[in-house]
Amino acid sequence: MTDDKERLDRAIIAMRVARELPPGATVNLGIGIPTLVSMFVADDSIVFYHSESGVLNCGPLAEDGNEDIDLINAGGQFLEPVPGMAYFSSVDAFAMIRGGHVDVTILGAHQVSATGDLANWMLPDRGVGNIGGAMDLAAGAEKVIVAMEHNDRNGNPKVVQECSFPLTGKGCVSLVVTDVAVMEPTPDGMALREVAPGWSADEVQSVTGARLIIPDSVAEYEV
Amino acid sequence: MTFSKLYDTPATAVADIHDGATLLIGGATRNSEPTALLVALLASGVRDLTCVCDFADWDGSEGVLQLAHAERIASIISPFPFAGESGGVIRKQWQAGALAVEVIPQGTLAERLRAAGAGIGGVFTPVVLGTRFADGRETRTVNGVECVLESPLRADFALIRADRADALGNLAYQGAQRGWNAVMAPAARITIAEVDVVGEPGAIDPELVITPGIYVNRVVHAPPTGEQG
Amino acid sequence: MPPAKLDPQAMARRAAGFIAPGDVVAVDSGLPSLVPGVTPPDLGAWFLRNNGMLNDLPLSLADAAAVTRGGYVDLAVVNAGQVDAAGSFSSLISTVHSGPNPPGNAVDLAAGSGRVIAMLPHADDQGRPNIVATLSSPADGLRCVSAIITDIAVIEVDSGGLTLAEVAPGWSGNDVRALTGADISISPALREMDFSPPTGVPPSKVYPDGPSAIADVPDGATVFIDGFGGPGGMAHYLLISLRDQGSRDLTIVSNTAGIARVVSFGTPPGRTAIDHSVLIENGQVAKAIASFPVSPSVSRPSEFELAYRRGEVDLELVPQGTLAERLRAGGAGIHAFYTPTGAGTLIAEGKESRNIDGRDYILEYGLRADFAIIRAHKADTNGNLVYRGTSRNFNAVMAPAARVTVVEVDEIVEAGQLDPEEIVTPGVFVQRIVKRPDAFTGYE
């Protein structure tokens, strides 16, 4: 049983993802855990943030009292102005995404399949959902990293063999970072790369809906 | 470490442009052409280039014409490939079979570059319909209008000129300088900008940035050399 | 001695006589490039040049092509080499120009403009006519020229062929006909060319208030409504005006279908944010085309979601970038385009899929509307707009794609008061300007 095993908190997931960002990369952060990633990018690793709201090189979330309704991110959160920003329209924001100019996007997900299909815009129960910029990011960003909890509130696995929820993009995910493991979708299936401290590969498999490809030795999360 | 896209010299900025490369070359007036980059490219000895540009052969053009004179250009893609009168080095080389010419109307060239930069696989427009530019092309009727499929035009490098840049590659132009340079910046794998003034991040008001740094890989400071513009 | 031919300046003055107040005029290089200089500034004409300059506003060539292809050019003045009796023209004459005929911008001007006039010398130096029965080079524009201005005449072109309407001083109809290489009839009302400048001023774009600016939105209209999600960049005052105006069965096109009311986004305590919900709860909306139509929170449904669940409104769900690109296409004369976004998903169902160079794309269509209701920071009286920060988003994309674009601004300044380099939306895309009342907060 893994029910009582300690899982990593959201900040640690964000820290682990931050290590995937090469210096000089242009990064688009989705809503939720991905937004936290910017807090953990090392000071000496320069990363540029792109937002579908129409701003490049934007700063961190605004300090209290410093909110400006004309400077927001894609989730509607207020941003701090920083030197070197550029503003543009939505058509240019998505030209950048589709045109392959965004190096990395970090997205949340409802499900990720063994081969990297992504489902993150609609829960079938609701019958309607918000696509927002997710499909454009899935199709256009050079690298898609999913940062999410390994299981949903009811314990259902979110890493699955095949997605049952409506897709955002096919075969687009290149890395999955959760609160128990780091995994890499491959044409052959989901490969386990790292496990959270205290977790074995078998334990990760027991809470995962996809058959994991488990190497002889699995590294522990490094953050 | 401070991150900067600034290169020391035009020569270092163009050093990896290889034989056979496809280049987008901005500008249509002296003030809007990347002169220093083109001079460096000439000195680098690179050849068999495909050059995409507006006016290829005209009096004010320093760079493209010099490349042509040195027989470095294998192919020209342009709305105005030749000099206005019957002479001109590009016409001469074309007549001798030494250089290929593809003529594309201005608006079509702009739209194809825009599609390349924006990740669009092709656009249907009626513009060239019935002209020779539609010969042999895929057409279809969309919403009752017969249209021609225009495909994206991508390049290895864009050599452009702007008025000013910051170290992050954000660019602002002056007047008509914006014309082709701003369209070409997103359409190449590597975009190299030659600018009059380089500033720190924040030197350009974010409302006034025309080409965001995401499209610009290298910046070279090349102030005007004092020649008459 | 034949009578003198007109000099280029005189030809340009005659061409200027074709311009109506406020017209968007695309001028080719060569003779047409002289026309702006002889046109009275009071006429309020917008001159689009081949280098992308729209009066003093610098446009990228892609944006300039969008002005032309989007149908915004009222009059194009092309620099022709030859014109035939059907009104087709070529830009250069192959006899003096060996090699592929450079079209420059002529193909776009011919295809996208409301009216095309051609300028050219009536005959070359050897007296060979430039107005011909058959072009000697391939056409750059087919059957598009409606008037020809030469150095000796003005010729009208319609389906019946060429009609000589005006002659230069001292020239007779038969003199002109002798230098014309195609059949030409002489108008019974043949007159001498008149070089007086055009007069008049364009009607003001500034409306006194919101209700007057949206009064003619009809039932069943498609309306672009700005608003990325938060309170920034929304035309709150115009939304309330549209609610009070009461038009029904509207199709609204927007990033969200109104979520500011259910997501705090800095709303002051005790206040309600104004968003699309004001139209939905008033029963005015039949359909929404949106990328983010419902509240991010299941437990706090928006007015749109409630109406959707009741079956009162339809929804067309579109990825955000596809929505932006469809609007851009609508404004730029692109009828359809291939995008990789949504390939292999529900969005692709019923749409053409195509693999291009190893990547999967789906076909999406341009989107136009009767009205756009947008928000900018400042407008000048010509309708040029500047935005603030991320509130530019869909506003700048919607403006070119609507037949009538109505903008709500914080401030209206005189023409010439905005720096041309900072103008994001040229006034050619803006038909009506309303100042947001100072007391208007965006909250109810």
Side-chain angles (χ1 to χ4, degrees), chain C residues 339-350:
Chain C
T339 178
T341 301
T345 75
L346 273 181
I347 290 298
E349 286 184 6

Side-chain angles (χ1 to χ4, degrees), chain C residues 65-395:
Chain C
V67 173
T68 313
R69 294 170 171 219
Y72 282 93
V73 174
D74 299 296
L75 178 71
V77 189
V78 299
N79 189 39
Q82 288 182 328
V83 185
D84 72 15
S88 298
F89 75 94
S90 58
S91 1
L92 281 176
I93 308 167
S94 62
T95 49
V96 298
H97 184 89
S98 66
N101 194 4
N105 200 28
V107 177
D108 271 78
L109 299 187
S113 306
R115 186 170 191 206
V116 179
I117 62 179
M119 293 179 76
L120 74 173
H122 207 93
D124 69 15
D125 295 344
Q126 277 80 49
R128 287 176 298 206
N130 289 328
I131 297 166
V132 295
T134 307
L135 300 176
S136 58
S137 321
D140 290 318
L142 287 171
R143 295 177 290 281
C144 59
V145 175
S146 64
I148 307 167
I149 297 171
T150 76
D151 45 8
I152 58 174
V154 175
I155 297 166
E156 289 168 358
V157 189
D158 60 24
S159 53
L162 306 176
T163 304
L164 179 61
E166 301 174 25
V167 288
W171 287 79
S172 72
N174 284 331
D175 292 340
V176 172
R177 179 182 264 162
L179 282 172
T180 304
D183 285 344
I184 185 167
S185 54
I186 296 176
S187 167
L190 181 71
R191 59 193 186 280
E192 190 173 281
M193 282 162 86
D194 177 358
F195 300 100
S196 52
T199 56
V201 293
S204 172
K205 292 180 175 181
V206 179
Y207 279 59
D209 53 28
S212 62
I214 54 88
D216 56 345
V217 174
D219 288 353
T222 297
V223 184
F224 294 152
I225 299 176
D226 60 4
F228 188 77
M234 280 199 85
H236 301 112
Y237 173 51
L238 290 173
L239 272 175
I240 294 298
S241 302
L242 186 58
R243 176 187 68 185
D244 296 344
Q245 186 255 16
S247 54
R248 305 181 69 82
D249 290 327
L250 302 175
T251 293
I252 60 170
V253 181
S254 186
N255 182 43
T256 76
I259 60 165
R261 188 182 272 194
V262 292
V263 179
S264 66
F265 287 132
T267 303
R271 311 291 300 275
T272 304
I274 294 169
D275 65 16
H276 316 58
S277 303
V278 301
L279 302 178
I280 292 158
E281 65 190 359
N282 201 33
Q284 292 175 265
V285 176
K287 179 180 178 182
I289 300 177
S291 92
F292 208 97
V294 296
S295 166
S297 160
V298 182
S299 58
R300 299 194 64 195
S302 63
E303 285 298 329
F304 176 81
E305 186 170 354
L306 296 172
Y308 180 72
R309 296 200 182 290
R310 291 193 301 266
E312 294 167 3
V313 292
D314 288 334
L315 169 64
E316 180 178 340
L317 189 61
V318 182
Q320 200 169 89
T322 299
L323 181 62
E325 195 64 23
R326 289 182 66 189
L327 292 165
R328 196 259 168 194
I334 307 292
H335 289 255
F337 58 90
Y338 290 107
T339 178
T341 301
T345 75
L346 273 181
I347 290 298
E349 286 184 6
K351 292 177 182 156
E352 175 186 325
S353 293
R354 182 165 179 166
N355 188 284
I356 303 169
D357 295 335
R359 192 176 187 191
D360 288 328
Y361 293 84
I362 58 177
L363 188 68
E364 297 278 5
Y365 293 87
L367 194 52
R368 287 191 59 83
D370 306 301
F371 286 83
I373 289 177
I374 66 166
R375 171 88 181 272
H377 179 45
K378 279 192 219 176
D380 70 16
T381 49
N382 285 337
N384 296 310
L385 304 182
V386 298
Y387 303 89
R388 259 198 98 237
T390 51
S391 291
R392 186 184 303 190
N393 51 56
F394 275 90
N395 291 297

Side-chain angles (χ1 to χ4, degrees), chain A residues 166-192:
Chain A
L167 292 188
T168 307
K170 273 192 87 66
C172 58
V173 176
S174 56
L175 196 71
V176 184
V177 180
T178 75
D179 46 5
V180 301
V182 177
M183 291 148 290
E184 189 180 335
T186 73
D188 301 324
M190 186 67 79
L192 183 64

Side-chain angles (χ1 to χ4, degrees), chain A residues 19-118:
Chain A
R19 290 185 49 229
E20 295 294 319
L21 305 180
T26 300
V27 181
N28 181 295
L29 301 179
I31 302 168
I33 297 173
T35 306
L36 300 175
V37 172
S38 62
M39 296 167 59
F40 301 106
V41 174
D43 288 343
D44 62 351
S45 174
I46 308 290
V47 166
F48 303 111
Y49 296 103
H50 169 277
S51 173
E52 303 99 292
S53 59
V55 59
L56 184 71
N57 305 336
C58 44
L61 296 182
E63 309 270 338
D64 281 348
N66 219 8
E67 297 90 352
D68 177 349
I69 62 168
D70 296 321
L71 182 48
I72 59 169
N73 67 15
Q77 296 166 299
F78 300 108
L79 299 175
E80 199 68 33
V82 293
M85 295 190 301
Y87 295 129
F88 36 83
S89 73
S90 297
V91 79
D92 292 327
F94 285 93
M96 292 172 188
I97 293 170
R98 269 192 326 266
H101 306 283
V102 172
D103 300 304
V104 184
T105 186
I106 301 161
L107 299 174
H110 299 320
Q111 290 180 330
V112 179
S113 83
T115 53
D117 294 351
L118 171 67

